Amino acid sequence: MRPSVWIVTLLIYALAACSGYQERPDVPAIAPQRVHRPSGGSAFTVSGRYILLNGQNFYIKGMVYSPTPIGNGLSDPPSLNDPLRDGNSAIWSRDLPALRAMGVNVVHVYNVVPPPYDKATGPITDWLNAAWNNGTNPIYVLLTIYFDGSALLNEGAVHALTKQYEDLAYKYAGYPAVMGVIISNEIVKPDWWNNPTWWKNFNRIADAARAGFAKGGNPKKIITTSDVDAVVKAGGTEHLGAIYYGEKHGAKVDVWGDNPYRGRTFTDLFAQIKTDTTKPVVLTEYGAPASYHPAWANTYSYEHTLHGLGRCIPPEGPDGPINRAAAELPATGNPNMAGLVDLVKNNNKLLYDRYTTDGLVSGGFYFEWTDEWWKADANNPEFRGKHVGDPVFAGHLPGCAYDHAWFGLNAISEGTQKYV
């Protein structure tokens, strides 16, 4: 078994058929927590830098959850990209016990089909009830509807999105497993992050979600973001672009979300957060891929490399930076799985230590539950039948590359769709 961060065993379920998992026994679990069991519902609010659940401080030990089998994904109709739908119960009903055993208390997804479009896929009510688990070790859910950031410069799209977010919040406001909403994913970009119109329309969506929760009888829910960890300089000081410009333009969020992939440490992240906002901050993605490129002369070995930071050397030879052949980090050799285990343990320790020091961060979501091998493109011969490997060297990650498809705690099997 991959050793736990807090000496907790990760229970891996051998899922078969269309979305089976292949065990990665060395990835550490998320730390457990004494669960506060609300009576008759769940009210999420904020106080200073803290998130509160029914008036008590709440630390997020979250998981990004998007269990998509190989061959299913972007090629599907968008309406099917909803892992929480009732029709997906064969998968998530087997995942929930393992997530609970790890101590996960919130999941972050990338799309929930809103009314009325969910007539085709069905609602997510079964998931929400199962996640709530009658208040025993509940797993809360941050809902979202995915859209590209450019949509907020299109009045027609904004009008449609405000209604969708309001309808989604209204429909599920009464379910105690619902923590709130994340407004899409990684949409605050340099092209428009200093655009007043863009932020005005962003706030229209935030207001619509709040209105939906209020009409549904449960206004005390969280509005947050999930954005790229882009650092900008302004006035000689480093800032987190999405948070810095969001605060400048009065973004109506309760909590900020940032997606840092900075290796074993978070470098200057905490200092940047402290400079940019007084609101709670959650790492809506963090982690590293469980992969490496066998053709590269990698030498990342554990935390002792380069004064405790852990670094790879650049790949050598003609198959270096253009090589896409990725494989799972082995148990021994160099690089090896121990580098990833060490990175995850250290990330979690830094997060929790800072939370208990001054509440600057309120936890985070490990990226992610399963690998994303569906990102292989069946229409591109370079990717067909092969797990996706990123050819760009990334010396701060254990496998020396940012392999998008390999971030999962669990591997995942082929889906019912096949490459053609």
Side-chain angles (χ1 to χ4, degrees):
M1 287 280 182
R2 290 178 175 166
S4 164
V5 177
W6 303 105
I7 319 179
V8 174
T9 301
L10 167 58
L11 302 179
I12 300 293
Y13 283 69
L15 304 185
C18 67
S19 59
Y21 298 154
Q22 303 161 8
E23 179 178 0
R24 285 201 178 126
D26 300 317
V27 171
I30 305 299
Q33 168 179 333
R34 182 178 295 174
V35 177
H36 176 63
R37 295 181 176 84
S39 175
S42 53
F44 284 95
T45 55
V46 299
S47 177
R49 290 193 178 274
Y50 291 93
I51 298 171
L52 307 181
L53 169 57
N54 295 337
Q56 299 185 16
N57 287 359
F58 183 77
Y59 180 74
I60 291 176
K61 291 186 300 298
M63 185 69 64
V64 175
Y65 187 69
S66 185
T68 305
I70 303 171
N72 300 67
L74 295 178
S75 60
D76 288 343
S79 61
L80 297 183
N81 291 329
D82 188 345
L84 306 186
R85 67 189 184 276
D86 291 353
N88 204 39
S89 62
I91 296 174
W92 54 249
S93 64
R94 289 175 288 183
D95 292 347
L96 279 168
L99 290 163
R100 279 198 180 89
M102 293 176 66
V104 170
N105 59 6
V106 189
V107 296
H108 161 202
V109 295
Y110 291 119
N111 189 60
V112 174
V113 178
Y117 308 103
D118 58 355
K119 289 180 181 178
T121 60
I124 62 169
T125 52
D126 289 351
W127 157 270
L128 291 175
N129 288 328
W132 174 241
N133 200 35
N134 293 317
T136 302
N137 297 323
I139 294 177
Y140 297 97
V141 187
L142 282 170
L143 307 175
T144 190
I145 301 165
Y146 179 77
F147 62 89
D148 187 82
S150 61
L152 295 188
L153 295 176
N154 180 304
E155 177 56 33
V158 173
H159 179 76
L161 286 166
T162 54
K163 179 167 176 48
Q164 290 173 24
Y165 267 83
E166 182 172 351
D167 290 348
L168 182 75
Y170 174 72
K171 182 167 187 173
Y172 297 117
Y175 289 82
V178 174
M179 182 178 185
V181 298
I182 296 178
I183 300 179
S184 195
N185 182 64
E186 297 189 340
I187 59 172
V188 187
K189 298 179 180 179
D191 290 348
W192 43 71
W193 62 17
N194 200 25
N195 185 321
T197 299
W198 192 92
W199 285 105
K200 177 182 177 182
N201 290 333
F202 176 96
N203 284 342
R204 287 169 61 186
I205 292 177
D207 286 339
R210 282 199 177 87
F213 285 130
K215 287 197 299 184
N218 286 281
K220 293 182 178 180
K221 302 294 181 182
I222 297 297
I223 309 295
T224 186
T225 60
S226 175
D227 279 299
V228 173
D229 182 54
V231 177
V232 297
K233 276 195 173 183
T237 303
E238 287 189 343
H239 301 274
L240 298 169
I243 298 176
Y244 173 74
Y245 286 106
E247 291 283 353
K248 179 180 176 181
H249 291 280
K252 294 183 178 181
V253 298
D254 305 301
V255 177
W256 283 109
D258 186 62
N259 299 351
Y261 294 95
R262 303 193 184 193
R264 185 177 184 270
T265 74
F266 293 120
T267 63
D268 298 324
L269 177 65
F270 296 152
Q272 291 155 0
I273 290 172
K274 191 170 185 177
T275 297
D276 290 339
T277 186
T278 58
K279 293 179 178 179
V281 174
V282 173
L283 304 193
T284 33
E285 293 179 9
Y286 72 95
S291 60
Y292 79 115
H293 292 226
W296 292 2
N298 299 334
T299 61
Y300 186 114
S301 181
Y302 227 173
E303 73 270 29
H304 302 297
T305 301
L306 196 63
H307 309 294
L309 294 178
R311 286 289 186 273
C312 304
I313 62 170
E316 299 171 347
D319 293 328
I322 62 170
N323 178 275
R324 287 187 180 272
E328 183 168 291
L329 285 164
T332 61
N334 198 334
N336 58 60
M337 190 65 73
L340 176 59
V341 173
D342 172 67
L343 180 147
V344 177
K345 288 171 66 175
N346 201 60
N347 280 179
N348 276 275
K349 184 178 187 305
L350 291 172
L351 273 177
Y352 191 70
D353 285 353
R354 192 58 195 247
Y355 173 74
T356 56
T357 299
D358 61 4
L360 189 72
V361 286
S362 293
F365 294 83
Y366 188 80
F367 184 83
E368 65 180 307
W369 180 242
T370 56
D371 284 326
E372 291 191 344
W373 292 341
W374 58 266
K375 287 184 175 178
D377 184 356
N379 297 313
N380 184 342
E382 185 179 6
F383 290 95
R384 187 180 299 135
K386 158 171 34 172
H387 304 325
V388 178
D390 193 325
V392 178
F393 180 76
H396 60 289
L397 298 178
C400 309
Y402 196 89
D403 296 324
H404 286 245
W406 285 85
F407 277 78
L409 291 179
N410 301 290
I412 194 163
S413 298
E414 280 193 325
T416 54
Q417 294 185 13
K418 305 297 182 183
Y419 296 127
V420 294

